């Protein structure tokens, strides 16, 4: 005997050795554990010993489990063989749905229907219900003609026609017919869940929640659960549905796509997109777009491919050609470069890049005003203005304003540009240019309220009070309840009155105030006229005038706000506000309360809009504008207050406000920006190390939060207070070691003389002198000498390390290290070397 | 970014009138009380391409990448009134298509 046979014999011999009890226990355990094959073996052995009914029932159960196991694995024929064994060895066991379904799947309809008829008499109602639902689902998927096999009164046959009609009518878009068919399917029908699916789809089109509710009633074990799940997704809004579909099985995706009426290619694209990460590489996205470009539309793909090139310059410009598209045109290239400049945020770069786009649009010939290209040029020119306004940069504004004015040639119908330019010229004192544009605009839009109001402001700014009144009357002719024009008219008359007071004509001043009174509608404006009148008579009748002034100040809100009104009125009448308050016997004001202060901020904002607040009044008031202890404002309120104070030139007060904000809310970038801008307002001076650190921290935080406005302003501030780029090592001349006094004790002029004597003035200082003049350069040198650790060290041998931390070590606002493919930007400081100011 | 032309279902060369008509139709389809999210998307899209200037500005300054929705929308804009083919649907139920 071979060893193989011997082993088999031993194995078999081992099993024979098991007792009946042991076999029973083993079979039970195998059955419970779902090891159906082992259970079948043991139970068959037991049945050979004795045909006990309970063992045969157990064998039938084991066969059922095994057959289902094989069918689930797709081994349908093997599963069928097991069912046949079951029928032979357990003839009394009732038919079960799985066998019938397997027969149907194998196309053995006759056997399946026979088994169904047998099962119908044997199964309990619940099991029969489940079987019928399964067969119903098969029927709907296969269009099986059940009436050929089953009697008409069987529910599977009786309700099949209604179920089929529901499907056909729904697919044909005949919702009424579908609804009627659904009503013919009773609650206990095997097609009940099918009917619910279509009812939900119909209802969900109008009321998504109601549709979803119906679908929720379909149990997870229902043979219609898959289609119900797909219908649930199909009812979702587009975006949600797309998100939900990613990662789902192919069958479910296709069912949803079918229910939503999608073409197949949509699913393909969805699947391809779902393999990408949340932020796909531009190349990946481009490849998908390229693969489906016929379906997506070639022009569309080309337009959306362009932004993908921005991060891939300069190689990206060659991508279209590599993919067999037309090469990038000069216009497209200019556009991509402009977007790139926008991304980098460098204003000069943005300006140059967009100018290149404009140049392209002006080729081969100047576009006709109003044409698409002309409008494109005008849009770019206005865009530049927006960018500059956002960044609040002044030094390039002439070029931007020039562009903005040029935009009116290309797009002469853009009214907001006229309004903006008139205001800009007025605010910058170029009243002639403002009048020219206003005139041109009013010829186009003679009744435009915004332009007429601008006319009022412009006339007031020119001191042409009658003209202002004329414009205001035109506003009121168009809009009789226009508060702004009325207010401006009253102000114009008040201005007239002030002029007369200063010329020593109180009679005419009183007349102007009377005329102002005619127009006035608001209590505040009325109080202002009364204040003017009382102040005019102060010298003649001090007693009653003083009382009248005090009473009027109360009407104007009292506190620091009324003090502003008093100071303004005093200055406008040619009085010194300080002398006036003394004359009135007013005490020095205490720290204003929060409400008073916020009222003042509002008043400053209103009055400064028209340049009405004289500097003398601001100077008089500023010391009184101190934030009270425990000031409790929101971030936006602080920002607004700081902007207003900045606008009227109260930088000290602004710094104090920002400081109070930082105490309350922490070092928010916007508050840091206000504090530091205020601190370094006025004549140029270098920021301290500590402040540079704070600016850089705030800049990083602003950039991280996407706050472009604050980031741009901090960038400007850094440039302004550190000369734009980190000063390079200066290569200070080696001064003799035997100087009479230490270098840090030298005054700036002496140090300069010594430098000149021993090797020349460093280029950096020369540059500062060129930019800012000799006095500023000396001031900077002096400041550097005065600042403890920031003063120049004892000059070391040329090129030697000077230590210290230059600006730029932390700051990445210039866009980080220069890319290999682009020219090097401003040189970053070499941390290994110091400079004069370190 | 969601392409405003796709949101409103208008061609890129649509004029003010066509854009306005598409906007009104879209708002009728998804009034704010029924589908606020979609209504908001429609409103935003309309604001972006309402006038000729807006459309040219969109072309010049919109640099957003297309979203999944944009791409899918391009491939046969979804037609919610479109219904499945019954035989295709039946085949999907059988899972043998």
């Amino acid at each position: 005997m071979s060893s193989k046979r011997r082993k088999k014999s031993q194995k078999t011999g081992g099993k024979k050795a098991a007792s009946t009890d042991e076999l029973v226990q083993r079979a039970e355990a195998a059955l419970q554990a779902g090891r159906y094959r082992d259970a079948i073996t043991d139970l068959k052995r037991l049945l050979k010993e004795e045909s006990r009914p309970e063992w045969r029932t157990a064998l039938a159960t084991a066969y059922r489990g095994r057959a289902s196991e094989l069918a689930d694995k797709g081994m349908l024929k093997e599963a069928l063989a097991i069912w046949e064994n079951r029928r032979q060895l357990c003839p009394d066991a009732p038919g079960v749905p799985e066998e019938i379904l397997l027969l149907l799947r194998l196309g053995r309809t006759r056997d399946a229907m026979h088994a169904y008829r047998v099962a119908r008499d044997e199964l309990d109602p619940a099991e029969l219900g489940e079987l019928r639902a399964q067969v119903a689902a098969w029927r709907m998927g296969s269009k099986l003609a059940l009436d050929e096999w089953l009697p008409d009164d069987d529910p599977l046959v009786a309700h099949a026609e209604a179920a089929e009609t529901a499907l056909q009518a729904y697919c044909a878009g005949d919702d009424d017919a579908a609804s009627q068919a659904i009503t013919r399917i009773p609650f206990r029908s095997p097609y009940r869940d099918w009917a619910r699916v279509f009812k939900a789809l119909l209802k969900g089109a109008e009321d998504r929640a109601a549709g979803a509710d119906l679908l929720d009633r379909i149990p997870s074990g229902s043979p219609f659960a898959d289609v119900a799940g797909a219908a649930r997704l199909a009812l979702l809004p587009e975006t949600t549905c797309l998100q939900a579909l990613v990662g789902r099985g192919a069958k479910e995706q296709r069912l949803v796509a079918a229910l939503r009426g999608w073409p197949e290619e949509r699913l393909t694209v969805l699947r391809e997109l779902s393999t990408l990460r949340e932020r796909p590489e531009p190349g990946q996205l481009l490849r998908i777009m390229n693969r489906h470009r016929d379906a997506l539309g070639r022009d569309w793909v080309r337009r959306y491919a362009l932004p993908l090139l921005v991060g891939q310059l300069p190689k990206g410009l060659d991508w279209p050609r590599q993919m067999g598209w037309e090469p990038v045109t000069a216009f497209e290239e200019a556009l991509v470069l402009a977007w790139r400049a926008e991304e980098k945020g460098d204003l000069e770069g943005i300006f140059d890049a967009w100018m290149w786009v404009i140049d392209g649009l002006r080729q081969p010939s100047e576009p006709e005003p109003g044409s698409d290209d002309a409008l494109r040029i005008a849009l770019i020119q206005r865009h530049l203005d927006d960018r500059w306004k956002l960044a609040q940069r002044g030094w390039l504004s002439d070029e931007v304003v020039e562009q903005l004015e040029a935009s009116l040639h290309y797009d002469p119908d853009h009214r907001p540009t006229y309004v903006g330019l008139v205001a800009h010229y007025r605010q910058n004192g170029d009243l002639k240019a403002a009048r020219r544009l206003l005139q041109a605009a009013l010829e186009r839009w003679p009744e435009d309220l915004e332009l007429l109001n601008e006319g009022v402001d412009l006339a007031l700014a020119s001191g042409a009070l009658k003209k202002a009144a004329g414009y205001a009357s035109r506003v009121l002719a168009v809009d009789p309840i226009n508060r702004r024009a009325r207010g401006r008219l009253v102000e114009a008359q008040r201005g007239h009155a002030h002029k007369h007071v200063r010329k020593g004509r109180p009679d005419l001043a009183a007349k102007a105030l009377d005329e102002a009174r005619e127009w006035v509608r608001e209590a505040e404006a009325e109080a202002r006229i009364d204040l003017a009148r009382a102040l005019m008579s102060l010298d003649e009748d001090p007693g009653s005038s003083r009382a009248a002034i005090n009473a009027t100040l109360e009407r104007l809100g009292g506190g620091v706000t009324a003090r502003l009104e008093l100071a303004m009125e005093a200055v406008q009448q040619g009085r010194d506000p300080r002398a006036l308050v003394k004359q009135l016997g007013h005490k020095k004001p205490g720290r204003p309360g929060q409400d008073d202060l916020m009222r003042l901020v509002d008043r400053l904002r209103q009055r400064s809009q028209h340049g009405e607040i004289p500097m003398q009044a601001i100077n008089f008031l500023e010391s009184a504008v101190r934030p009270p202890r425990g000031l409790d404002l929101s971030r936006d309120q602080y920002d607004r207050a700081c902007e207003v104070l900045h606008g009227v030139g109260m930088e000290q007060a602004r710094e104090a406000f920002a400081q109070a904000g930082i105490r309350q809310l922490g070092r928010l970038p916007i508050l840091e920006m206000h504090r530091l801008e205020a601190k370094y307002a006025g004549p140029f001076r270098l920021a301290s190390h500590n402040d540079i650190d704070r600016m850089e921290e705030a800049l990083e935080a602003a950039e991280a939060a996407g706050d472009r406005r604050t980031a741009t302003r901090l960038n400007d501030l850094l440039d302004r207070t550190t000369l734009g780029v980190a000063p390079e090592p200066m290569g200070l001349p080696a001064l003799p070691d035997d100087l009479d006094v230490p270098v840090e004790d030298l005054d700036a002029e002496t140090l300069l003389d010594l430098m000149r004597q021993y090797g020349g003035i460093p280029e950096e200082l020369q540059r500062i002198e060129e930019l800012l003049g000799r006095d500023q350069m000396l001031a900077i040198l002096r400041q550097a000498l005065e600042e403890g650790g920031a003063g120049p060290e004892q000059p070391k041998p040329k090129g030697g390390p000077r230590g210290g931390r230059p600006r730029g070590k932390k700051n990445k606002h210039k866009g980080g290290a220069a890319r290999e493919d682009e020219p090097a930007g401003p040189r970053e400081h070499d941390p290994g070397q110091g400079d004069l100011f370190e | 970014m969601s392409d405003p032309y796709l949101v409103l279902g208008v061609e890129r060369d649509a004029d003010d009138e066509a854009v306005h008509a598409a906007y009104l139709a879209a708002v009728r389809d998804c009034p704010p009380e029924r589908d606020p999210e979609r209504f908001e998307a429609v409103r935003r899209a309309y604001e972006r391409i309402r006038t000729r200037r807006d459309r040219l500005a969109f072309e010049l300054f919109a640099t957003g990448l297309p979203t999944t929705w944009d791409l899918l929308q391009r491939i046969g804009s979804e037609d919610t009134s479109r219904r499945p083919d019954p035989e295709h649907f039946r085949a999907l139920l059988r899972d043998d298509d």
Side-chain angles (χ1 to χ4, degrees):
Chain A
M1 188 188 280
S2 71
S3 67
K4 199 174 175 182
R5 275 192 187 171
R6 197 165 49 248
K7 273 184 191 167
K8 193 176 177 185
S9 167
Q10 281 168 357
K11 194 177 170 187
T12 316
K15 282 201 175 178
K16 273 182 185 166
S19 67
T20 303
D21 286 347
E22 282 169 344
L23 276 174
V24 169
Q25 281 175 9
R26 215 161 65 187
E28 273 177 6
L31 204 54
Q32 277 177 6
R35 290 183 285 106
Y36 302 114
R37 207 160 57 165
D38 292 344
I40 290 168
T41 308
D42 289 337
L43 287 164
K44 275 164 78 177
R45 286 167 60 82
L46 284 168
L47 284 166
K48 272 184 191 169
E49 287 174 19
E50 188 184 346
S51 178
R52 288 201 201 170
E54 66 268 28
W55 291 346
R56 206 160 288 282
T57 305
L59 181 63
T61 307
Y63 272 131
R64 184 179 183 178
R66 178 65 183 153
S68 298
E69 211 171 56
L70 291 168
D72 288 346
K73 288 180 187 170
M75 299 163 75
L76 303 187
K77 285 183 180 164
E78 290 80 352
L80 186 63
I82 298 289
W83 285 118
E84 280 166 357
N85 288 347
R86 181 178 185 264
R87 226 176 296 132
Q88 279 174 11
L89 294 178
C90 318
D92 298 332
V96 291
E98 296 97 304
E99 182 186 3
I100 295 162
L101 287 173
L102 180 68
L103 289 166
L104 287 171
R105 283 171 80 181
L106 287 168
R108 294 174 61 168
T109 312
R110 181 190 296 273
D111 294 338
M113 290 298 106
H114 173 75
Y116 168 73
R117 281 194 298 271
V118 173
R120 202 172 48 177
D121 300 331
E122 291 176 348
L123 292 176
D124 64 47
E127 277 184 313
L128 183 59
E130 276 176 35
L131 172 61
R132 279 180 168 151
Q134 298 275 6
V135 177
W138 181 260
R139 152 72 184 82
M140 296 320 298
S142 64
K143 218 175 173 180
L144 179 68
L146 289 171
D147 53 352
E148 289 178 14
W149 308 93
L150 300 175
D152 290 347
D153 63 346
D154 189 289
L156 278 169
V157 176
H159 310 144
E161 188 272 329
E164 182 65 24
T165 305
L167 171 69
Q168 297 291 344
Y170 177 79
C171 290
D174 188 350
D175 293 352
D176 288 343
S179 297
Q180 281 175 12
I182 289 166
T183 57
R184 298 209 307 273
I185 298 173
F187 182 76
R188 298 205 181 279
S189 167
Y191 300 95
R192 180 187 64 193
D193 290 343
W194 175 258
R196 274 182 179 159
V197 167
F198 286 96
K199 196 171 176 183
L201 286 169
L202 291 169
K203 201 157 193 166
E206 295 298 320
D207 182 351
R208 191 175 296 136
D213 279 350
L214 275 171
L215 292 168
D216 286 344
R217 290 186 214 162
I218 298 175
S220 59
S222 164
F224 297 103
D226 281 358
V227 69
R232 197 174 286 114
L233 290 179
L235 285 179
L236 292 173
E238 175 88 339
T239 319
T240 325
C241 175
L242 288 173
Q243 284 163 353
L245 271 188
V246 174
R248 302 273 176 158
K251 180 183 176 185
E252 193 170 15
Q253 286 182 343
R254 296 178 77 190
L255 270 171
V256 175
L259 286 172
R260 289 192 81 115
W262 290 0
E264 274 290 299
E265 197 164 359
R266 284 192 124 208
L267 263 188
T268 313
V269 172
L270 179 66
R271 286 190 194 121
E272 287 178 24
L273 289 171
S274 66
T275 63
L276 302 181
R277 283 178 299 173
E278 194 180 344
R279 288 175 181 272
E281 293 293 323
Q284 292 176 311
L285 198 52
L286 199 60
R287 275 190 290 278
I288 292 178
M289 285 161 65
N290 187 41
R291 261 200 298 280
H292 299 282
R293 70 180 155 145
D294 286 333
L296 290 166
R298 289 180 174 231
D299 288 345
W300 190 88
V301 167
R302 191 173 181 92
R303 170 60 182 80
Y304 279 101
L306 292 180
L308 289 168
L309 311 184
V310 173
Q312 311 296 320
L313 296 176
K315 287 180 185 168
L317 290 175
D318 198 39
W319 281 4
R321 196 190 55 76
Q322 286 172 14
M323 288 187 298
W325 305 0
E326 287 292 313
V328 168
T329 64
F331 174 71
E332 286 171 336
E333 184 177 346
L335 204 54
V336 170
L337 291 175
W339 293 340
R340 168 67 175 273
E342 291 277 355
E343 205 173 86
K344 288 170 80 177
D346 170 52
L347 283 177
E348 292 88 336
I350 291 170
F351 186 87
D352 291 346
W354 281 116
M355 290 310 289
W356 193 30
V357 179
I358 289 179
D359 285 348
L361 289 166
R362 295 175 69 183
Q363 301 298 330
S365 59
E366 190 69 22
E368 281 293 309
S371 66
D372 277 0
D373 275 351
L375 288 186
R376 285 187 184 102
I377 292 174
L379 282 163
I380 293 171
Q381 289 165 324
R382 293 200 288 266
H383 172 73
L384 290 172
D385 177 56
D386 289 342
R387 297 290 275 119
W388 251 260
K389 274 183 193 145
L390 184 71
Q392 295 200 339
R393 296 270 294 236
W395 63 273
L396 240 175
S397 67
D398 284 352
E399 277 178 278
V400 174
V401 170
E402 199 179 294
Q403 290 300 320
L404 197 57
E405 194 157 335
S407 76
L408 291 174
H409 164 73
Y410 295 107
D411 184 8
D413 291 329
H414 197 253
R415 196 187 52 81
T417 301
Y418 284 100
V419 176
L421 273 171
V422 171
H424 169 82
Y425 284 132
R426 173 174 53 75
Q427 282 155 8
N428 285 278
D430 190 350
L431 302 182
K432 197 175 163 190
R435 275 195 291 271
R436 172 174 53 80
L437 281 169
L438 182 69
Q439 204 52 43
L442 281 172
E443 276 170 22
R444 283 176 179 273
W445 302 281
E447 294 195 338
D448 184 87
L449 290 178
E450 202 173 3
L451 286 167
L452 289 170
N453 274 316
E454 191 51 59
V456 175
D457 294 342
L458 181 58
L460 288 176
S462 320
L465 301 174
K466 277 189 182 165
K467 205 164 189 176
Y471 278 122
S473 301
R474 280 172 72 181
V475 172
L476 292 171
V478 179
D479 176 13
I481 54 163
N482 190 298
R483 287 174 61 186
R484 183 177 182 273
R486 201 176 279 279
R488 299 297 291 151
L489 193 59
V490 169
E491 288 306 306
Q493 296 293 2
R494 276 185 64 233
H496 226 33
H498 292 140
K499 212 162 150 182
H500 291 310
V501 170
R502 288 196 298 273
K503 283 183 178 172
R505 295 295 305 270
D507 52 330
L508 294 178
K511 195 177 163 200
L513 288 178
D514 286 345
E515 280 177 26
R517 195 77 193 241
E518 293 289 310
W519 289 95
V520 82
R521 292 286 184 277
E522 288 167 353
E524 199 177 277
E526 196 175 287
R528 234 173 258 143
I529 293 171
D530 291 346
L531 179 65
R533 209 187 288 277
L535 198 54
M536 274 163 58
S537 56
L538 179 65
D539 297 330
E540 287 171 16
D541 182 7
S544 56
S545 295
R546 198 176 292 137
I549 288 170
N550 289 337
T552 314
L553 289 177
E554 282 307 308
R555 281 161 60 200
L556 283 165
V560 72
T561 314
R563 203 171 165 85
L564 167 74
E565 298 286 356
L566 180 65
M568 284 175 65
E569 189 57 45
V571 174
Q572 282 157 345
Q573 291 196 19
R575 289 173 178 269
D576 173 16
R578 282 192 177 79
L580 175 64
V581 289
K582 215 169 182 179
Q583 192 178 350
L584 291 172
H586 289 178
K587 289 178 187 165
K588 194 178 172 188
R591 205 178 270 266
Q594 177 163 319
D595 291 346
D596 189 15
L597 212 47
M598 295 317 288
R599 213 167 36 242
L600 172 75
V601 167
D602 272 350
R603 192 68 57 87
L604 283 170
R605 184 182 52 75
Q606 288 164 13
R607 305 300 297 268
S608 66
Q609 278 171 352
H610 308 289
E612 290 168 3
I613 311 181
M615 211 52 221
Q616 212 183 335
I618 294 289
N619 293 337
F620 165 74
L621 198 70
E622 182 157 19
S623 61
V625 184
R626 285 167 294 162
R629 281 187 192 86
L631 187 63
D632 182 17
L633 301 177
S634 68
R635 172 197 175 281
D636 288 348
Q637 282 176 313
Y638 276 117
D639 180 31
R640 205 163 45 243
C642 286
E643 284 298 357
V644 168
L645 294 170
H646 172 55
V648 298
M650 289 189 180
E651 294 296 350
Q652 280 178 24
R654 180 190 181 200
E655 189 180 347
F657 254 80
Q659 196 70 266
I662 290 169
R663 273 198 300 277
Q664 185 197 331
L665 303 171
R667 289 185 184 181
L668 300 181
I670 198 156
L671 297 177
E672 286 282 58
M673 182 272 286
H674 281 300
R675 184 183 74 79
L676 291 160
E677 260 194 9
K679 184 173 176 181
Y680 292 98
F684 175 85
R685 72 190 170 104
L686 284 174
S688 69
H689 278 186
N690 186 36
D691 284 341
I692 291 176
D693 281 348
R694 300 264 300 247
M695 284 180 213
E696 289 182 348
E697 277 166 24
L699 174 61
E700 281 175 14
E703 281 175 344
D707 182 355
R708 257 166 75 170
R709 169 187 162 233
T710 304
T712 309
R713 284 174 68 171
L714 282 164
N715 249 328
D716 279 358
L717 184 61
L718 274 162
D719 284 349
R720 218 166 55 230
T721 53
T722 58
L723 292 175
V725 292
E728 294 182 21
M730 287 193 181
L732 285 180
L735 299 182
D737 293 334
D738 56 349
L739 290 176
D740 293 340
V741 287
V743 170
E744 55 268 31
D745 290 347
L746 292 173
D747 62 46
E749 287 82 353
T750 313
L751 182 58
L752 272 182
D753 285 343
L754 282 168
M755 286 175 180
R756 202 172 289 120
Q757 201 178 333
Y758 289 99
I761 297 173
E763 276 179 25
E764 191 65 23
L765 282 181
Q766 289 179 25
R767 211 178 111 213
I768 296 171
E769 189 173 358
E770 275 170 32
L771 282 169
L772 305 167
R774 184 175 170 78
D775 289 347
Q776 281 294 340
M777 184 269 280
L778 285 172
I780 290 163
L781 191 57
R782 255 180 243 119
Q783 187 194 337
L785 285 167
E786 281 161 13
E787 281 187 6
E793 292 179 2
Q794 175 69 36
K796 301 269 192 320
K798 199 170 180 177
R802 294 191 179 82
R805 190 183 68 69
R807 179 209 161 191
K809 190 173 173 184
K810 286 167 71 178
N811 182 26
K812 298 180 188 72
H813 71 282
K814 287 288 178 188
R819 295 170 59 92
E820 284 175 10
D821 55 71
E822 60 189 17
R827 268 174 290 174
E828 287 290 335
H829 207 61
D830 177 358
Q833 293 188 307
D835 58 58
L836 181 67
F837 306 110
E838 286 292 325
Chain B
M1 183 192 66
S2 285
D3 186 330
Y5 291 92
L6 294 173
V7 174
L8 295 178
V10 291
E11 293 299 323
R12 294 192 99 73
D13 58 359
D15 59 12
D16 291 4
E17 207 177 318
V19 172
H20 187 65
Y23 169 68
L24 293 180
V27 169
R28 267 196 303 275
D29 274 358
C30 55
E33 63 279 7
R34 203 173 75 194
D35 191 345
E37 202 179 305
R38 171 120 181 94
F39 172 78
E40 184 54 28
V42 165
R43 196 188 55 73
R44 265 202 311 269
Y46 180 57
E47 276 172 11
R48 297 188 78 176
I49 58 169
R50 196 164 59 93
T51 65
R52 183 171 157 227
R53 286 192 188 94
D54 293 333
R55 293 189 289 279
L56 290 169
F58 180 77
E59 179 198 311
L60 284 170
F61 306 120
T63 55
L65 300 182
T67 60
T68 302
W69 184 87
D70 290 330
L71 289 165
L72 295 176
Q73 198 69 0
R74 285 293 302 177
I75 302 180
S77 293
E78 183 178 60
D79 176 4
T80 45
S81 64
R82 198 173 143 186
R83 297 290 169 82
D85 169 69
E87 294 318 310
H88 174 58
F89 188 70
R90 214 190 288 284
L92 288 173
L93 292 178
R94 284 200 310 271
D95 199 17
D96 61 353
D97 187 38

